[in-house]
Amino acid sequence: MMAFWWPLLVLAFAYAICRFLLMLIPSNVPSIDVDASDVLDDGNQTRENSFIYVPSRRQGDKVQCYEPATMKYLGYYPALKPDEVKERVVLASKAQKTWAQSSFKQRRQFLRILLKYIIEHQDLICEISSRDTGKTMVDASLGEIMTTCEKITWLLSEGEKWLKPEYRSCGRSMIHKTAKVEFHPLGVIGAIVSWNYPFHNIFNPMLAAVFSGNSIVIKVSEHASWSGCFYVRIIQAALAAVGAPENLVEVITGFAETGEALVSSVDKIIFVGSPGVGRMIMRNAADTLIPVTLELGGKDAFIVCEDVDVPHVAQIAVRGALQSSGQNCAGAERFYVHKDVYPAFVAEVVKIVKSITAGPPLLGKYDMGAICMQEHSEKLQSLVNDALDKGAEIAGRGSVGNIAEGAVDQYFPPTVIINVNHTMKLMQEEAFGPIMPIMKFSSDEEAVELANDSKYGLGCAVFSGSQHRAKVIASQIHTGVAAVNDFASTYMCQSLPFGGVKESGFGRFAGIEGLRACCLVKSVVEDRWWPFIKTKIPKPIQVNRSSPFESFILLFNIDIHRSLSGKCSILFQRMASSFRSLLWKLCMA
């Protein structure tokens, strides 16, 4: 088993940060009460709610929910029909018209209430995420709590600043004007989010949408509906505490037709999922010509140069590959290691991975949790088999703990594979599982070429004893995000935009760009010294009789307000004449 101190250290670090954040919350922030009685596992469930769930064919009117780690039944939620979805969007639109007039003070109070609840109830939030997706409590703490708290604190600190009008240069010809960009709410934002981080994937688009004055309707994955329907209670309780209108934030459940109805009804759509579904989202969004943000996963490269501290980087590599059982869109999926340290790196990684055991996460004795999606373990094994058939070797594997008799197997042992190449599906397709394929490279140029040989382009990580060398390599990799001598640190910096290129999608969420992407960006020009100096259209231009040269000069004829004294009028006229002469000389220079 992995060293016992490591998860304890991570939890202690997360706890310390949360306690620090709690001290920053003003004392006048109210607490909210969220009913969690129906989601707590008290160990005394009735027979009806504790049987082992054996998945059957999809029922069109119900979303069945179960724990991936134990296959215990959790209940079901309705699969909304298109008309029901549109009704929710209409209600959200009405609420948004009221919320658009809210002050930033009110919106910040909403964020503070959320932050206080999250910090005080992080164990509950993590446990619900763990039960619905199979991840460990450590993975939930890192991926759900810390990232969400970072986003809230960034919005509290800088959100208003980046939504205020931004003044721009007006140019030489418009020196008597002011030019600015205003950021107005779009209306109703739609979000279709994935299951791998159910808490953060709801809060991430919601926070940006609501803080920028929008309402939002979120379709949660059918694989994480149970947790999503609890998490929205937290949001709605916090909104009620600040006097926000009802229906401002809605979570809906269902399957493909539910998502299609949402796309056709909202003013912008944010989608987190696969490239195939992303293409369908784009086709549907084309009917109403709404803006689209797509985050479609990745096949991130993890590059290790020969001048690194191998044991140190090996620990980061294993965390990057096995975080949330490898079910991480920004997870490390391709490992390129310089040939001089390849044997030492492989040996160190294999030693770590062999000590890892997967099992039910809430038992507290396993290092890795379950695979969330039904039958995904079979896909992972098929990728491994394809690589083995083409000459790869399994260098080492972790183990799976004792699973209850009769339970459907939802686990895949962490696996290290060597002698891989780019003809193998494992190096081309997103695995989304706990597999570490490791390949040699001989030069920095080869490492860059291998990293760019992918249809995905979300992120990368580059490790070198020379920070300059690592930066040079990272700058040449065609991805939306890059970490130098670290892994996934870009996402913890919530001031930065997040998104990819190629089949990883386009558009950005998080950061300034993600916040403003929820806005109608409006360019505005107005008179600088109104009403004393304003634009006048001369008669020659009105009747279109002047030469191009005369039209150009007459455009700068400045009308002096009649209420000024005669002397001031003459003075301004002379200033205007001088300005026209100077401008003409500048243009002819």
Side-chain angles (χ1 to χ4, degrees):
M1 183 182 293
M2 184 181 289
F4 185 66
W5 58 267
W6 170 243
L8 289 180
L9 183 62
V10 172
L11 285 173
F13 179 66
Y15 178 78
I17 290 178
C18 290
R19 293 302 302 176
F20 174 72
L21 291 173
L22 191 59
M23 289 189 295
L24 299 179
I25 300 174
S27 58
N28 63 340
V29 175
S31 297
I32 55 173
D33 183 31
V34 180
D35 181 19
S37 59
D38 58 334
V39 295
L40 293 173
D41 185 4
D42 58 7
N44 294 314
Q45 295 173 308
T46 64
R47 181 181 179 85
E48 181 182 1
N49 289 328
S50 61
F51 67 84
I52 298 299
Y53 176 67
V54 179
S56 59
R57 293 187 180 275
R58 167 186 151 184
Q59 293 177 277
D61 60 342
K62 293 179 182 179
V63 178
Q64 302 284 0
C65 306
Y66 59 94
E67 293 184 12
T70 63
M71 301 309 293
K72 288 183 179 178
Y73 185 64
L74 294 172
Y76 69 88
Y77 289 90
L80 297 189
K81 303 297 182 184
D83 289 345
E84 295 174 303
V85 174
K86 291 176 182 178
E87 288 174 7
R88 300 284 186 96
V89 173
V90 168
L91 293 174
S93 180
K94 292 179 181 178
Q96 188 275 330
K97 290 176 173 60
T98 301
W99 183 250
Q101 307 304 316
S102 63
S103 66
F104 282 110
K105 180 180 179 180
Q106 186 180 9
R107 298 176 196 180
R108 279 193 296 271
Q109 184 72 341
F110 164 63
L111 297 186
R112 292 190 184 103
I113 292 171
L114 284 178
L115 183 60
K116 183 177 182 179
Y117 182 89
I118 292 168
I119 293 171
E120 292 177 346
H121 298 83
Q122 54 186 298
D123 285 348
L124 172 64
I125 293 167
C126 289
E127 181 180 332
I128 290 172
S129 173
S130 175
R131 291 183 66 192
D132 208 14
T133 65
K135 63 169 54 67
T136 65
M137 292 289 282
V138 171
D139 289 341
S141 180
L142 290 170
E144 308 277 28
I145 302 299
M146 291 181 68
T147 50
T148 304
C149 287
E150 279 296 315
K151 188 174 188 74
I152 293 174
T153 52
W154 178 77
L155 283 170
L156 285 170
S157 174
E158 300 185 35
E160 181 179 359
K161 169 186 173 183
W162 297 113
L163 292 176
K164 283 186 173 180
E166 182 178 279
Y167 285 85
R168 304 281 180 88
S169 167
C170 56
R172 292 185 296 183
S173 64
M174 292 283 111
I175 196 170
H176 57 297
K177 302 285 187 178
T178 61
K180 62 182 177 180
V181 181
E182 295 178 346
F183 303 95
H184 300 274
L186 278 174
V188 182
I189 307 294
I192 301 175
V193 298
S194 60
W195 47 265
N196 56 335
Y197 291 99
F199 179 76
H200 182 71
N201 286 347
I202 289 174
F203 273 67
N204 182 39
M206 180 279 300
L207 289 166
V210 171
F211 194 80
S212 54
N214 298 283
S215 59
I216 186 167
V217 179
I218 305 168
K219 187 222 171 269
V220 291
S221 168
E222 57 268 34
H223 302 290
S225 296
W226 180 75
S227 57
C229 289
F230 169 75
Y231 293 143
V232 74
R233 297 180 198 172
I234 303 171
I235 299 167
Q236 291 172 343
L239 287 169
V242 298
E246 292 184 3
N247 309 117
L248 189 68
V249 176
E250 291 281 350
V251 162
I252 59 175
T253 53
F255 300 102
E257 67 174 1
T258 306
E260 291 171 3
L262 182 63
V263 173
S264 66
S265 307
V266 295
D267 301 301
K268 174 187 170 71
I269 193 72
I270 299 169
F271 174 71
V272 181
S274 68
V277 179
R279 291 186 178 93
M280 290 190 288
I281 296 288
M282 285 189 67
R283 283 194 287 269
N284 291 337
D287 292 336
T288 50
L289 292 177
I290 60 170
V292 177
T293 295
L294 301 177
E295 196 277 271
L296 306 178
K299 192 73 180 172
D300 289 10
F302 190 107
I303 297 174
V304 181
C305 297
E306 77 279 6
D307 54 356
V308 300
D309 178 349
V310 171
H312 169 75
V313 176
Q315 284 285 352
I316 299 173
V318 173
R319 168 53 63 180
L322 305 188
Q323 167 76 16
S324 196
S325 299
Q327 300 165 118
N328 187 2
C329 60
E333 292 220 358
R334 293 179 293 149
F335 292 84
Y336 301 108
V337 181
H338 194 278
K339 62 181 183 179
D340 291 348
V341 293
Y342 183 85
F345 182 84
V346 170
E348 193 69 30
V349 165
V350 167
K351 182 175 69 174
I352 298 170
V353 167
K354 283 185 174 180
S355 71
I356 296 173
T357 305
L362 294 182
L363 293 180
K365 61 180 182 178
Y366 295 109
D367 310 294
M368 198 179 81
I371 301 298
C372 180
M373 291 180 62
Q374 188 69 25
E375 299 178 353
H376 188 59
S377 291
E378 295 178 10
K379 177 191 173 183
L380 295 176
Q381 190 59 51
S382 71
L383 292 176
V384 171
N385 291 342
D386 175 77
L388 296 177
D389 291 342
K390 294 174 180 176
E393 299 177 25
I394 294 178
R397 271 190 145 167
S399 58
V400 176
N402 295 325
I403 308 300
E405 185 178 351
V408 179
D409 190 355
Q410 289 280 104
Y411 296 90
F412 192 88
T415 304
V416 180
I417 299 185
I418 57 174
N419 298 333
V420 294
N421 59 60
H422 281 204
T423 67
M424 302 170 183
K425 293 179 181 179
L426 183 60
M427 296 298 283
Q428 296 294 332
E429 297 179 10
E430 185 179 35
F432 225 59
I435 305 174
M436 296 183 67
I438 308 177
M439 186 173 176
K440 296 177 186 177
F441 70 87
S442 301
S443 66
D444 293 358
E445 292 76 17
E446 183 185 7
V448 170
E449 183 180 354
L450 290 169
N452 285 329
D453 182 24
S454 174
K455 61 185 177 182
Y456 292 99
L458 184 56
C460 66
V462 182
F463 289 80
S464 170
S466 165
Q467 189 165 357
H468 174 73
R469 179 186 179 188
K471 287 194 292 185
V472 169
I473 294 173
S475 69
Q476 299 176 71
I477 300 175
H478 193 43
T479 57
V481 298
V484 174
N485 284 324
D486 204 347
F487 165 74
S489 53
T490 46
Y491 200 72
M492 285 302 294
C493 299
Q494 281 290 313
S495 63
L496 296 176
F498 183 81
V501 294
K502 299 189 280 189
E503 289 200 15
S504 289
F506 56 82
R508 298 293 183 265
F509 53 76
I512 302 161
E513 294 78 4
L515 183 62
R516 289 178 170 178
C518 294
C519 299
L520 165 64
V521 180
K522 182 182 289 188
S523 299
V524 179
V525 174
E526 57 185 305
D527 289 304
R528 189 183 298 273
W529 297 296
W530 174 268
F532 303 108
I533 301 177
K534 56 185 178 181
T535 300
K536 178 181 178 180
I537 306 298
K539 288 185 178 180
I541 295 179
Q542 293 176 7
V543 296
N544 198 28
R545 294 188 311 188
S546 58
S547 69
F549 172 77
E550 291 170 331
S551 299
F552 179 78
I553 296 299
L554 287 170
L555 277 170
F556 301 99
N557 181 43
I558 302 177
D559 180 33
I560 308 302
H561 198 273
R562 299 178 185 275
S563 63
L564 294 175
S565 66
K567 290 183 179 180
C568 288
S569 177
I570 293 170
L571 176 62
F572 273 92
Q573 287 174 359
R574 288 177 178 174
M575 290 173 60
S577 177
S578 299
F579 168 72
R580 290 195 297 269
S581 299
L582 176 62
L583 184 61
W584 174 246
K585 291 178 182 178
L586 290 171
C587 290
M588 294 298 292

